[in-house]
Amino acid sequence: MKRLLEQRKAREVSLTNEEIYAKIKPKGRCKSRDRRMGVSPLITSLFGGFSESNKLRKEVDKAKNEAAEAKKEAISANEQNKILTKKL
């Protein structure tokens, strides 16, 4: 796997992380013994751990909350605009 990643870095091959994993993944069912022996890498070692996904999930939730607040503000501003238009 390291060799393929180095080749990709040197632009000798153009493989995605998924393609590299598919090339080195043992055929058939993967056993935990294989991982302990270094034969089969953990998927988290290639694409990041669960803590990274939790971090991204929190960022998405924060962005959703900000979008909801912005929508409320836009509705309020629109209502105020209608009131001012009627006064004119």
Side-chain angles (χ1 to χ4, degrees), residues 11 18 76:
R11 300 194 189 269
E18 292 85 0
S76 175

Side-chain angles (χ1 to χ4, degrees), residues 28-82:
R29 187 165 182 207
C30 183
K31 297 177 178 70
S32 62
R33 177 183 58 82
D34 293 339
R35 288 197 178 118
R36 285 194 311 266
M37 301 299 288
V39 175
S40 176
L42 292 170
I43 192 75
T44 56
S45 69
L46 294 174
F47 304 110
F50 297 109
S51 62
E52 290 180 33
S53 65
N54 287 338
K55 179 183 171 186
L56 292 174
R57 189 173 292 117
K58 287 179 184 178
E59 289 179 17
V60 167
D61 290 340
K62 182 180 175 184
K64 284 181 181 179
N65 290 337
E66 290 174 358
E69 289 295 320
K71 186 175 181 179
K72 288 178 186 177
E73 289 176 14
I75 290 170
S76 175
N78 193 16
E79 290 173 359
Q80 289 177 355
N81 189 19
K82 286 179 184 179

